[in-house]
Amino acid sequence: MRLTQEQQDMLDGKYGKGTAYAMKIQVAIGESFGAERMVPITRAHVALSNQEADLWFAEKLLNAGARCRVAPTVNPGFCLSFFQSRDMVSPEYADLMQRTHNAYKGLGAVLSYNCTPYIDTNVPNYGEIIAFSESSATPYVNSVWGARTNREGANSALCAAVTGFVPEYGLLLDENRKGNILVEVQAEMKNDYDYHMLGMMGKKIGNGIPVFTGLPKHISKEALRNLGAELNTSGAYGMYHIVGFTPEAPTLEAAFGGKEPERKVVITNDDLQEELKKISLEGNRQIDFAMFGCPHFTLEEVKHIAERIEGKKLRKEMWILTSSHVKEMAVRMGLDEIITQAGGFIVPDTCPDQPCWGHLNGKVGITESPKCAYYPQRRGIHFVIRDLDTCIEAALTGEVK
Ligand code: F3S
């Protein structure tokens, strides 16, 4: 790989050991993908996981003196003050979160603890070269905003934030951003939840860049968020196109770069129904709690829930996960008060795949997000998956029909 003098100096340690370490990793990644050079980035998002390996890496860079040149936003762990004040987290796990916080603070990250930065806190422009990790974030910034990032891991995105560069390969290059799978959606797409289910079709769609046709003219930001999150729960996708909607797919021909699709896939209502049967517990049962916000909910979604439950009492706990920005807006707008009075909680900075949910072990929840149902299984928490309004109704009555 050809390095500029500045990049070579980073590699040689002239900018300190931590930067040299990050650059060494990036050069190795670049060489393994056949990159010819490094290019500067203007933004980064690090999918920190608040788990041992992630913390080990962040502390290793920090202790070697690294500091981010491009301050990245970061993913949620769990909100220490919320869970500690309710005695819901052990000292061991509280310590892990505190150390994660300290490490990323020391590295100079933006401590946003939110997995949907592409909606309001770290939004790239068309064509910007960036380094984003996180399952829903990478496809959103590539596909919807037309920015350019590879599907970074938390560690490689952190290295990019430290050096300010990424190796140029993959989705950074025009020729690799064309679609190769035509996905004709015949299923009825009625609401944002249906895009969760469409995203769960990764096995049927197969590897590559899908080009969707047959979708409605208007698609909400929440639906696009859901689609990307689930494409990377059921498969591995850095990008997709929606013909006549996403910026690099004004026409079918443009989406495929003038080539024929390698594969054609049709998605029907039956496909979505069959998938739901595989990933959800059966309905017609009592539930113990409801959980929303994986990926983090928008203010509009929080408002929707508040309007549905205003003046009522929830029979079951309701956890709504979101960013601290949205939580603050919800407090100012009185939505938090409505939800709290009904017996629910708006929890900032927190992910369902965290050790703060120990009290839900062995319980059955309801959620509108297959991703929310997928990760906590390893913590002994299982879910019925339904559309949002059915979930809200279940939290009010205590059962799902
Ligand atoms: Fe976000 Fe955690 Fe879900 S990072 S997408 S809330 S698994």
Side-chain angles (χ1 to χ4, degrees):
M1 216 167 33
R2 291 190 316 274
L3 297 184
T4 61
Q5 190 57 51
E6 183 189 30
Q7 292 159 358
Q8 188 63 49
D9 286 348
M10 284 185 175
L11 189 62
D12 293 342
K14 292 197 181 140
Y15 289 80
K17 269 190 188 164
T19 303
Y21 190 59
M23 184 54 99
K24 192 174 168 191
I25 291 170
Q26 290 192 287
V27 168
I29 293 171
E31 285 178 346
S32 67
F33 282 100
E36 291 181 3
R37 60 175 189 163
M38 308 276 293
V39 287
I41 57 158
T42 43
R43 297 172 187 279
H45 177 75
V46 175
L48 70 75
S49 61
N50 184 39
Q51 293 176 21
E52 292 288 356
D54 175 61
L55 178 59
W56 176 86
F57 188 74
E59 284 183 339
K60 187 170 174 72
L61 284 183
L62 180 68
N63 294 337
R67 179 103 190 148
C68 293
R69 271 194 167 191
V70 176
T73 45
V74 296
N75 254 24
F78 65 85
C79 179
L80 254 183
S81 56
F82 182 95
F83 289 93
Q84 273 187 320
S85 66
R86 289 168 176 80
D87 207 17
M88 289 168 71
V89 66
S90 71
E92 179 201 347
Y93 288 131
D95 181 58
L96 186 70
M97 188 65 237
Q98 187 64 59
R99 279 175 59 203
T100 295
H101 177 85
N102 295 346
Y104 280 90
K105 185 177 171 189
L107 286 163
V110 177
L111 299 173
S112 49
Y113 298 128
N114 160 236
C115 54
T116 58
Y118 48 84
I119 286 181
D120 42 22
T121 53
N122 197 358
V123 184
N125 289 317
Y126 183 84
E128 238 183 289
I129 307 233
I130 61 179
F132 266 46
S133 49
E134 171 51 30
S135 59
S136 74
T138 309
Y140 202 108
V141 293
N142 274 317
S143 316
V144 180
W145 297 137
R148 296 187 173 207
T149 179
N150 279 308
R151 209 167 157 262
E152 302 286 354
N155 297 346
S156 65
L158 182 55
C159 289
V162 168
T163 64
F165 294 100
V166 282
E168 189 182 43
Y169 69 95
L171 292 174
L172 268 45
L173 300 170
D174 287 345
E175 62 268 29
N176 298 325
R177 296 174 67 84
K178 306 297 178 200
N180 59 343
I181 313 160
L182 178 61
V183 184
E184 187 188 326
V185 181
Q186 291 180 0
E188 211 187 337
M189 305 304 287
K190 305 173 296 301
N191 51 36
D192 298 339
Y193 162 76
D194 291 328
Y195 290 81
H196 270 304
M197 292 311 301
L198 179 62
M200 289 305 290
M201 292 293 107
K203 280 204 186 77
K204 184 161 188 189
I205 294 169
N207 289 339
I209 298 185
V211 176
F212 292 100
T213 62
L215 294 176
K217 270 213 154 34
H218 175 74
I219 308 173
S220 71
K221 59 185 183 295
E222 290 82 2
L224 295 162
R225 173 204 61 195
N226 296 349
L227 177 62
E230 307 305 352
L231 280 171
N232 282 321
T233 301
S234 65
Y237 297 87
M239 184 168 185
Y240 57 80
H241 297 285
I242 301 173
V243 177
F245 185 86
T246 53
E248 292 172 59
T251 61
L252 199 61
E253 204 196 359
F256 285 105
K259 294 195 183 139
E260 281 298 303
E262 288 164 23
R263 221 169 32 258
K264 292 186 189 176
V265 179
V266 175
I267 306 289
T268 63
N269 283 332
D270 286 350
D271 289 321
L272 305 191
Q273 279 308 317
E274 270 170 40
E275 183 63 22
L276 181 64
K277 277 189 205 145
K278 285 188 214 152
I279 59 175
S280 168
L281 293 180
E282 281 184 15
N284 285 323
R285 69 192 309 148
Q286 299 278 323
I287 51 119
D288 300 311
F289 68 98
M291 187 177 279
F292 309 122
C294 173
H296 277 175
F297 258 21
T298 62
L299 185 60
E300 288 84 348
E301 289 171 312
V302 173
K303 189 163 173 281
H304 177 85
I305 295 176
E307 285 166 358
R308 295 259 159 172
I309 66 175
E310 184 165 14
K312 300 177 183 166
K313 277 279 171 225
L314 295 165
R315 281 256 174 101
K316 301 293 173 178
E317 286 174 358
M318 180 188 282
W319 305 96
I320 305 167
L321 313 181
T322 190
S323 66
S324 54
H325 295 269
V326 169
K327 165 98 186 190
E328 175 60 24
M329 282 301 129
V331 169
R332 289 187 197 178
M333 292 165 68
L335 305 174
D336 185 60
E337 197 181 341
I338 292 169
I339 290 168
T340 307
Q341 278 179 358
F345 302 91
I346 303 178
V347 190
D349 303 342
T350 301
C351 166
D353 188 24
Q354 288 289 317
C356 54
W357 300 110
H359 79 289
L360 299 179
N361 187 304
K363 296 198 171 165
V364 171
I366 190 163
T367 180
E368 58 19 292
S369 160
K371 189 175 180 190
C372 184
Y374 180 74
Y375 286 105
Q377 291 178 75
R378 69 194 181 105
R379 301 180 189 277
I381 308 169
H382 297 274
F383 285 89
V384 177
I385 303 168
R386 291 291 185 270
D387 66 88
L388 181 58
D389 286 343
T390 304
C391 293
I392 296 170
E393 198 51 34
L396 284 166
T397 63
E399 60 184 336
V400 55
K401 297 274 189 287

